[in-house]
Amino acid sequence: MTGTGVGVLTDDGTADAYLTHPPDGAPRPAVLLYMDAFGLRPGLREMADRLAGAGYTVLVPNVFYRRGPAPVAELPAFIDDASRGRLLRRLMPVMRQLTPERAARDAGAYLRWLADCPAAAAGPVAVTGYCMGAALSLRTAAAHPERVAAAAGFHGGRLASDAPDSPHLLAGRITAELYFGHADRDPSLPPEQIERLEQALTDAGVRHRCEVYTGAGHGYTQSDTAAYDKEADDRHWAALLGLLARTF
């Protein structure tokens, strides 16, 4: 794949990002890939390259760019259980700074950048997100229904909480087809939130499929962490590529 670092101009600065696409340079359907809390790093670039290898142009922005270029916290090559907790405590304040309002504005900037990218085909885009990125995927589909034809989220947290700005409350704005792969060993998305999300999407008439991956924990797609689960990750790839095939 042809991968390179790029800068995306936003209302609040410039987001560093990774762009990857097949080497022939021909315009391909665009996919916006939202990072997990640990951010833009080699493991995510590898995931983006794999997606590009299936025939897509993929943009992975550093959504924490307001704090500086990725990584905003020093990361070990492998994130084990001990380092995971320490890193999350350090990153939690950064995550809170990415308010729903800022996320929606940033999403517009990312989508405009893709619209002007020669390697991205004209027309609708797809979005996928991991961990905190699953909520960003849902919010992007709601904020830009005219641009987003499909959105996916994997091992997402707090997708249907009691908060007044919970992502599931945006279901009525969504026209995209959605897919969510939940982890059944994920305290950040308990069964009642899974049910609440499902009900909200159903009531809004959103085309969707929500599946619970038995035995998987939060972060199951991330091969550079102790949470990685190959069986669940393989299932995620099959579901994501299936969604994209139906979209484009």
Side-chain angles (χ1 to χ4, degrees):
M1 295 303 102
T2 300
T4 186
V6 298
V8 179
L9 186 64
T10 77
D11 291 344
D12 296 325
T14 300
D16 51 307
Y18 179 67
L19 178 73
T20 181
H21 53 82
D24 61 11
R28 304 297 179 113
V31 180
L32 175 60
L33 191 158
Y34 281 124
M35 60 188 230
D36 64 351
F38 299 126
L40 183 53
R41 59 194 191 280
L44 276 185
R45 292 184 182 92
E46 290 173 6
M47 292 178 69
D49 285 343
R50 179 170 175 176
L51 193 51
Y56 302 98
T57 290
V58 185
L59 179 70
V60 191
N62 166 28
V63 303
F64 294 155
Y65 69 90
R66 292 174 180 86
R67 274 292 185 97
V72 298
E74 186 176 352
L75 300 174
F78 183 79
I79 301 171
D80 58 19
D81 290 335
S83 58
R84 179 185 186 87
R86 183 180 68 253
L87 285 167
L88 288 177
R89 285 191 295 274
R90 185 172 179 182
L91 290 168
M92 196 61 67
V94 186
M95 294 170 65
R96 293 194 186 102
Q97 288 181 348
L98 185 61
T99 63
E101 294 76 20
R102 284 178 168 176
R105 291 203 311 270
D106 288 349
Y110 304 146
L111 294 176
R112 287 191 297 273
W113 193 92
L114 281 170
D116 294 334
C117 176
V125 304
V127 186
T128 186
Y130 303 86
C131 178
M132 59 168 282
L136 295 177
S137 181
L138 185 56
R139 292 188 186 281
T140 299
H144 302 278
E146 76 289 351
R147 287 280 282 135
V148 179
F154 299 91
H155 48 81
R158 297 184 59 78
L159 296 176
S161 72
D162 294 326
D165 58 358
S166 177
H168 79 286
L169 299 175
L170 302 172
R173 304 180 188 178
I174 294 172
T175 59
E177 180 179 349
L178 305 185
Y179 177 89
F180 287 95
H182 307 307
D184 75 336
R185 297 181 180 177
D186 188 350
S188 71
L189 194 75
E192 60 268 22
Q193 288 200 38
I194 293 176
E195 295 172 7
R196 190 179 295 149
L197 175 63
E198 173 75 32
Q199 192 62 55
L201 296 175
T202 299
D203 290 348
V206 178
R207 293 168 297 152
H208 71 279
R209 185 174 183 182
C210 296
E211 296 184 320
V212 177
Y213 291 18
T214 302
H218 186 79
Y220 62 77
T221 63
Q222 303 301 303
S223 62
D224 58 353
T225 76
Y228 182 67
D229 183 318
K230 186 179 187 308
E231 181 178 352
D233 185 35
D234 288 345
R235 183 175 177 182
H236 135 261
W237 279 111
L240 177 58
L241 292 175
L243 176 66
L244 296 179
R246 293 193 298 274
T247 303
F248 299 117

